[in-house]
Amino acid sequence: MMAKTVSKRTYQQMSDELDRLIEWFESDKVSLDEAVDKYEQAMKLLKDMEDFLRTAENKVKKIAVQFGDE
Amino acid sequence: MDGLILSPSDFVGLLNQTLEIAYPLVEIEGELSNFRVSKNRWVYFDLQDELASVKFFGTVYMLPGPLEDGMMVRAVGAPRLHPRFGFSVNVQSITPAGQGSIKKAADLLAAKLEAEGLFDPSRKRPLPAVPRTIGLVTASNSAAYADFIKILGERWGGVEIHLADVYVQGAQAPAQIVRAIERFNELSSLVDVLVITRGGGSADDLAAFSDERVVRAVAASRIPTLVAVGHEVDTSLTELAADLRASTPTNAAQLAVPNRSEVIAGLRVARKSIRELTLLQFENNLRQTQSNREYLTSQVNLLFKDKLNLIDSQSKLIAVFDPRSALKRGYAIISRAGKNISSVKGLKTGDILDVRLSDGKIGAKVQ
């Protein structure tokens, strides 16, 4: 069973969003009100990502392939 | 069968029935000779040893790659008596046999596929950094499968692995591997990456991965491919055609997904740097506010100073016009009946005048 993750987003989506947030923080057009919001977003995202990394498991599904020569 | 007289057709039919029951399939290994391809479709050859030669017939679709007379090959097929052309074995599969022939066949095929550009580095596509789904083509009972799944689980989570369980060696292997690759490419929702792998083995065991059909299927895959066959030293043609080659099944798992602990360490760095950046923004804002306040204060002070200067200079100017300052210098203001006199005209002897000096008033009479 795949462990339940906090977020429905894929890891890649979360990682992309984090990159965007870091880019925003590094830019020079940062407003303080926004910074508070974005900081909270980033901390939540980091927690979700770490939760995913610690809890998600791989699962194997066998697919049916018809082999003509069998 | 004594006394039973058969027509040639009956005899052929009877013999084929007997062959079908007695030898449904035969596997024959021998030296390839008289190998020829007709109309790009039909393949004819003989397999021989010192004493005998057997005729074979098949199609190009079952060829593992280019073959040459003199190579040792192993052919699997059904022996048949053709009504007109006589005896032959209808080939189902043919594979080079023995180190020398396998190498020779691989060299011939490598040269052909290289010339076609199948191994060209410009064809290589990047693999997704974090795959959500992996199509895995291998034997489910193999060490390769176990290694791949184990290392993948140690490194990363949340991946759906779709396994196509195939033979990775033997006559059926190439067709099964090809079919599995095709199947993954037919699915409406494609997996993110296709991993094709098997562990080490003899050159014979690994032969399926240098089979032309398998190499072409890998090269034609719409899904990016990661191929790991055998040990570090083995390089199959399939690996050369893959988007990425891994040295072993374990290495394939390492290349397929990031390492969880490294990523967690990276997230910690990101958390720290976001905190620092946010703090920096606060400090910058504070500094900006302070400098704004200082600027405003200084501007207001400047304004006050300007106004004070102006008032000062105006008051000096006004002082010049003050008549009292003229009286102090010895001038006097003369008036008659409350009206200031600035001329002698209109004055008569005996007029009484008021004379105002800096410190008081006196009366005077015109003479």
Side-chain angles (χ1 to χ4, degrees):
Chain A
M1 269 300 286
M2 192 168 135
K4 186 180 169 292
T5 51
V6 186
S7 170
K8 283 205 168 83
R9 289 166 296 180
T10 67
Y11 185 82
Q12 188 64 59
Q13 285 168 335
M14 292 194 281
S15 172
D16 291 347
E17 195 179 330
L18 183 67
D19 286 347
R20 276 196 296 276
L21 282 169
I22 291 176
E23 205 175 302
W24 184 86
F25 275 107
E26 283 170 345
S27 76
D28 50 4
K29 43 182 189 291
V30 173
S31 94
L32 217 51
D33 290 338
E34 259 187 295
V36 174
D37 276 358
K38 300 249 186 204
Y39 176 79
E40 279 170 6
Q41 268 180 46
M43 289 303 126
K44 167 92 169 56
L45 199 57
L46 283 159
K47 185 183 177 302
D48 287 355
M49 289 167 84
E50 202 163 326
D51 285 350
F52 171 91
L53 290 169
R54 291 192 187 283
T55 59
E57 289 168 13
N58 299 329
K59 67 177 174 186
V60 180
K61 265 195 331 199
K62 225 172 185 175
I63 70 152
V65 186
Q66 296 297 318
F67 299 120
D69 55 348
E70 277 178 356
Chain B
M1 284 203 187
D2 282 350
L4 182 65
I5 305 211
L6 300 170
S7 68
S9 308
D10 288 343
F11 175 71
V12 169
L14 186 68
L15 194 72
N16 279 336
Q17 267 184 10
T18 313
L19 282 172
E20 229 168 87
I21 292 160
Y23 302 106
L25 279 179
V26 289
E27 192 166 357
I28 303 171
E29 188 174 311
E31 188 190 325
L32 191 67
S33 68
N34 296 322
F35 180 82
R36 64 187 199 283
V37 177
S38 164
K39 292 175 185 162
N40 274 330
R41 176 135 194 229
W42 310 112
V43 176
Y44 303 89
F45 60 90
D46 299 338
L47 288 190
Q48 60 184 26
D49 57 18
E50 294 80 9
L51 299 174
S53 175
V54 180
K55 288 193 185 309
F56 286 79
F57 166 74
T59 64
V60 290
Y61 309 113
M62 54 83 208
L63 289 177
L67 298 173
E68 265 186 6
D69 282 357
M71 288 166 102
M72 287 298 287
V73 297
R74 192 176 301 157
V76 177
R80 287 286 180 276
L81 186 63
H82 191 275
R84 293 194 186 282
F85 307 125
F87 181 83
S88 69
V89 178
N90 286 0
V91 190
Q92 287 186 355
S93 78
I94 175 167
T95 46
Q99 297 284 358
S101 290
I102 290 169
K103 185 162 185 329
K104 175 81 181 155
D107 289 349
L108 284 172
L109 180 59
K112 178 179 159 186
L113 299 178
E114 173 87 62
E116 282 184 39
L118 252 65
F119 306 144
D120 202 310
S122 66
R123 296 186 78 249
K124 312 279 182 216
R125 296 163 294 187
L127 264 46
V130 186
R132 277 180 308 121
T133 50
I134 292 178
L136 179 60
V137 180
T138 194
S140 66
N141 59 359
S142 65
Y145 171 78
D147 287 351
F148 180 81
I149 295 292
K150 177 171 167 271
I151 302 300
L152 200 77
E154 280 174 14
R155 291 175 64 86
W156 199 251
V159 184
E160 258 184 40
I161 300 140
H162 299 256
L163 169 72
D165 191 6
V166 295
Y167 284 123
V168 289
Q169 65 190 68
Q172 289 172 306
Q176 287 200 356
I177 297 167
V178 168
R179 187 67 205 109
I181 295 168
E182 285 171 353
R183 180 80 192 114
F184 276 118
N185 277 279
E186 284 160 8
L187 295 174
S188 55
S189 168
L190 295 179
V191 292
D192 294 335
V193 60
L194 205 52
V195 176
I196 300 152
T197 189
R198 71 148 283 153
S202 68
D204 227 358
D205 292 341
L206 306 183
F209 293 89
S210 287
D211 186 290
E212 183 169 357
R213 291 162 293 179
V214 177
V215 182
R216 286 194 186 282
V218 166
S221 174
R222 289 194 286 154
I223 307 161
T225 51
L226 169 58
V227 178
V229 174
H231 298 302
E232 195 111 26
V233 289
D234 306 311
T235 305
S236 65
L237 299 183
T238 305
E239 286 171 284
L240 297 180
D243 291 304
L244 187 64
R245 183 206 166 206
S247 57
T248 59
T250 297
N251 184 224
Q254 289 164 344
L255 295 179
V257 292
N259 186 345
R260 185 188 271 124
S261 53
E262 281 169 19
V263 173
I264 289 176
L267 292 183
R268 292 216 174 105
V269 172
R271 180 176 284 126
K272 192 162 168 275
S273 91
I274 288 176
R275 278 191 181 137
E276 282 169 359
L277 283 167
T278 310
L279 209 60
L280 196 70
Q281 295 301 345
F282 270 88
E283 280 170 4
N284 282 347
N285 270 274
L286 199 63
R287 225 188 332 270
Q288 189 63 46
T289 311
Q290 273 168 351
S291 95
N292 283 348
R293 193 176 59 199
E294 277 161 21
Y295 176 72
L296 269 178
T297 312
S298 77
Q299 284 301 99
V300 168
N301 284 343
L302 212 60
L303 205 65
F304 270 91
K305 213 169 155 191
D306 276 357
K307 293 287 174 204
L308 282 173
N309 282 342
L310 187 67
I311 289 168
D312 190 45
S313 65
Q314 280 174 338
S315 57
K316 277 180 183 153
L317 191 67
I318 287 168
V320 171
F321 292 112
D322 187 351
R324 279 169 300 187
S325 60
L327 297 184
K328 275 181 190 158
R329 292 202 300 276
Y331 294 92
I333 297 168
I334 298 169
S335 57
R336 185 180 61 186
K339 276 186 162 181
N340 286 355
I341 304 292
S342 57
S343 164
V344 292
K345 282 178 190 166
L347 288 181
K348 296 188 297 280
T349 305
D351 279 354
I352 299 298
L353 303 174
D354 289 323
V355 178
R356 188 184 170 115
L357 298 168
S358 67
D359 53 351
K361 241 172 23 175
I362 53 165
K365 195 174 180 180
V366 179
Q367 286 185 327

